[in-house]
Amino acid sequence: MTGGAGALKMWIAGGAGAGAWQELAREAGIPLLRSLADAGPNDCVIVGGAPAGGWRAAGYPVGSVEAASGSGDKSGGLTQQERAGYPVRSGAVGRAVQSAESVQAKQSEQSEKLPLLPVSPWLMNAAASEVAALSDQELERRLRREGVSARIGEQGGMKLTTAVWGFGALEMRRAAVGEGAIRGTNRMRSAAGQSAISDEHALWKPAQKLAVRAVYALGLDFGQVELRVSDQGRLAVTAVDSRLRLQTPEGRRRWREAAKAFAAEWAAETASDASVRTLLGADPEFVLVSSAGRVVPASRYFPYEGEAGCDSMRVRGEKIWPLVELRPRPCPEPAQLTAELHALLREAAGRTAGVELSWRAGALPVRGVPLGGHVHVSGAALHGERLRALDNAVALPLRLLEPPGAGSRRPRYGALGDVRRQPHGGFEYRTPPSWLVSPRLALGVFALAKTAVEHARELAACGRPLDEERAREAFYSGDRRTLLAAAGRVRRALAGTAGYKAYREAIDFVFDAIERGRSWNENADIRAKWRIPVR
């Protein structure tokens, strides 16, 4: 990484609400930028509002894509949003550079010529103008596609206004029953008539979870989400606003604490190339299938606890334990973690010795039994830039390796940005399916995850096609042609990171399989690939 340590700063685009942004900056001790041009390459900039003259007028390099491509096409390969004046916030520069070179050249030859990727400031809420321009119908469609319950513009019932920063709620305010949303769903109601609810309230956790998911799914980093609570207690998003308007003393206290903690973490992580060194863990699942094709409960052979145990799921409200879950010790290196898994698979083999079973992994090897291959990360802070790097570097390639029909588990399982904080201070990335189908794929997933986590800054510069609506839609619909182009951009971006050199073989295995049109076989017994004797 180049550019030196970064800092949390704020740039106010002007317009209504400028005074409120200034007050938030003052309370948290965040320096204000006079111009975006004053931001350092590793700074994280909170963008308050949208520039009146568009992003070009603000000095942000929307037009740099044309220059990089050298194309006579005035659009320069820009997306519709970029042509409309939204900032470059993902892979546009990398996409243009790639078009200037032969895409037929071997990736190994290209990687030798690539310099380390440049970095640029993280503009928090750079997607705000795009989100504000969405119709009610499109906003609802995008949220539902991501598994977020949404009824945009629906009035009546109790409403909760939740202020979100990153992956947590700063405050939650309850409106009186019967107060409908203000006409125009991208505008939130005023705080008048609203009362604060505490984080001990029964609604806090589920409302926080839904609001955070809505903000992330729309490409935002903070904002306010209005939720409707039905008579049955179900929550649905009715409005989203990219502004951050805090009305309670408790909310402002949380803001100060959260902003200062983030600023300290950001400065530490961007101080040098060696600032982020992670430990990886995992808890992949597989299922036991009898010769008759029936799922055999894992609880018959495996304990609830332990490194090789069983896990539960609910079927029609009943809790059952059909899944085998492996819980290896965290390791700093992908190869070490893969070896730990191999040892646990051998242990599992001893527990089922003499029983005629098939071990199945993947996304949906048995109808109604979706499997996860969650990756645990410690030693790196959870923030939007890092999670988006994981979505692009891990979830996108795996999507292309899934067999037909595996995508039906989405959006309930496997939605982008599915993450959970862990008590030990790290986090669990929950989007991937079970990659236990082979040791080489497991190793590749760990290598991709480690590179994405430790080099999220570089990948933000030109390796995040899932920031764009077309690629995101393709992820859920299964548009392979669009996803293949996106995966090519991700591969090139990864090859420009320092982490690629260490894990090149493992990473190339994944993308080479994609180029050959391979997919895993969810009907195969995983013991064959792992060389586990069937006893």
Side-chain angles (χ1 to χ4, degrees):
M1 188 193 310
T2 59
L8 179 63
K9 299 176 182 177
M10 184 182 291
W11 178 70
I12 302 173
W21 286 111
Q22 291 173 350
E23 181 64 17
L24 288 175
R26 185 194 64 78
E27 288 187 7
I30 301 172
L32 293 174
L33 294 174
R34 297 181 62 181
S35 166
L36 282 179
D38 296 332
N42 280 319
D43 284 344
C44 179
V45 181
I46 300 171
V47 177
W55 288 97
R56 285 187 179 89
Y60 198 74
V62 178
S64 62
V65 179
E66 293 102 323
S69 67
S71 171
D73 178 6
K74 291 183 179 180
S75 70
L78 294 173
T79 65
Q80 180 180 357
Q81 291 83 359
E82 290 156 359
R83 288 195 297 274
Y86 298 118
V88 177
R89 55 188 173 89
S90 61
V93 175
R95 187 167 67 245
V97 172
Q98 184 180 22
S99 69
E101 299 184 25
S102 171
V103 295
Q104 301 300 323
K106 291 183 179 179
Q107 183 67 23
S108 59
E109 295 172 353
Q110 291 174 337
S111 63
E112 296 296 333
K113 303 173 184 178
L114 281 173
L116 295 184
L117 292 175
V119 292
S120 56
W122 174 12
L123 299 190
M124 300 185 87
N125 267 27
S129 298
E130 183 181 345
V131 172
L134 297 176
S135 67
D136 291 358
Q137 294 77 13
E138 178 62 11
L139 183 62
E140 182 171 310
R141 186 193 72 83
R142 291 191 185 188
L143 289 172
R144 289 190 171 190
R145 175 189 68 194
E146 310 264 347
V148 177
S149 176
R151 295 179 177 272
I152 301 301
E154 186 173 281
Q155 301 187 25
M158 185 176 78
K159 295 293 179 68
L160 298 177
T161 300
T162 304
V164 172
W165 167 263
F167 295 92
L170 297 176
E171 70 177 20
M172 208 171 289
R173 304 189 302 274
R174 176 173 51 194
V177 174
E179 288 187 27
I182 290 178
R183 194 183 192 107
T185 57
N186 289 337
R187 296 284 185 233
M188 305 293 291
R189 72 180 74 229
S190 70
Q194 295 187 332
S195 59
I197 67 173
S198 75
D199 56 4
E200 296 179 354
H201 194 284
L203 284 172
W204 181 279
K205 286 186 177 179
Q208 173 181 248
K209 180 179 180 180
L210 187 60
V212 166
R213 287 186 64 194
V215 166
Y216 180 84
L218 294 172
L220 301 173
D221 301 291
F222 56 82
Q224 294 193 158
V225 180
E226 187 176 78
L227 306 172
R228 179 184 184 273
V229 186
S230 72
D231 294 339
Q232 294 76 33
R234 298 190 182 95
L235 295 167
V237 175
T238 57
V240 180
D241 193 310
S242 62
R243 293 172 292 179
L244 195 60
R245 297 185 296 176
L246 302 175
Q247 305 294 334
T248 67
E250 188 66 13
R252 290 187 172 274
R253 180 190 65 79
R254 290 194 185 98
W255 156 249
R256 291 191 297 270
E257 293 177 354
K260 290 177 181 178
F262 176 87
E265 289 174 342
W266 186 258
E269 286 197 353
T270 57
S272 72
D273 290 344
S275 296
V276 181
R277 288 293 178 263
T278 60
L279 284 176
L280 293 180
D283 56 356
E285 299 165 336
F286 65 92
V287 67
L288 307 174
V289 180
S290 70
S291 57
R294 292 180 173 275
V295 174
V296 177
S299 54
R300 288 185 186 176
Y301 308 102
F302 295 87
Y304 297 119
E305 305 295 334
E307 292 184 333
C310 62
D311 198 11
S312 65
M313 60 182 296
R314 289 192 177 274
V315 177
R316 293 184 290 274
E318 181 183 355
K319 192 173 186 180
I320 60 176
W321 300 81
L323 309 176
V324 182
E325 184 177 79
L326 305 181
R327 303 149 188 158
R329 293 171 293 181
C331 299
E333 290 297 325
Q336 292 175 311
L337 188 56
T338 306
E340 288 282 332
L341 281 174
H342 197 185
L344 292 180
L345 286 168
R346 289 197 301 268
E347 177 185 329
R351 292 183 177 275
T352 60
V355 184
E356 188 176 352
L357 296 170
S358 177
W359 295 9
R360 309 275 181 87
L364 198 66
V366 178
R367 185 179 178 182
V369 186
L371 300 182
H374 307 159
V375 178
H376 297 240
V377 177
S378 58
L382 173 61
H383 51 66
E385 187 174 80
R386 179 157 287 131
L387 185 56
R388 291 185 176 100
L390 283 165
D391 278 345
N392 282 273
V394 179
L396 194 158
L398 287 177
R399 180 69 174 92
L400 283 162
L401 293 174
E402 291 179 358
S408 63
R409 73 189 189 112
R410 298 183 181 89
R412 184 174 182 183
Y413 300 98
L416 293 169
D418 190 356
V419 69
R420 180 186 294 171
R421 292 187 186 275
Q422 292 297 309
H424 56 69
F427 62 92
E428 178 184 15
Y429 182 52
R430 299 169 56 82
T431 298
S434 178
W435 28 257
L436 273 177
V437 290
S438 81
R440 294 194 72 183
L441 183 59
L443 179 62
V445 168
F446 296 149
L448 287 167
K450 187 173 178 68
T451 303
V453 168
E454 295 184 355
H455 299 278
R457 285 264 61 223
E458 294 97 314
L459 295 181
C462 62
R464 291 198 337 218
L466 287 175
D467 283 7
E468 302 157 15
E469 171 57 19
R470 183 184 179 191
R472 205 168 185 94
E473 177 67 25
F475 181 87
Y476 288 99
S477 68
D479 177 356
R480 187 170 182 84
R481 182 176 180 181
T482 299
L483 289 177
L484 282 171
R489 289 168 53 190
V490 172
R491 182 176 192 175
R492 182 171 180 81
L494 287 164
T497 65
Y500 175 74
K501 183 178 180 180
Y503 311 117
R504 177 173 177 168
E505 183 178 350
I507 291 172
D508 282 349
F509 167 79
V510 175
F511 287 100
D512 287 346
I514 290 172
E515 288 185 358
R516 293 196 301 269
R518 301 287 299 276
S519 63
W520 62 67
N521 180 3
E522 299 198 338
N523 293 320
D525 192 318
I526 65 173
R527 287 176 290 187
K529 290 282 182 70
W530 285 90
R531 298 185 180 180
I532 302 295
V534 178
R535 294 182 286 177

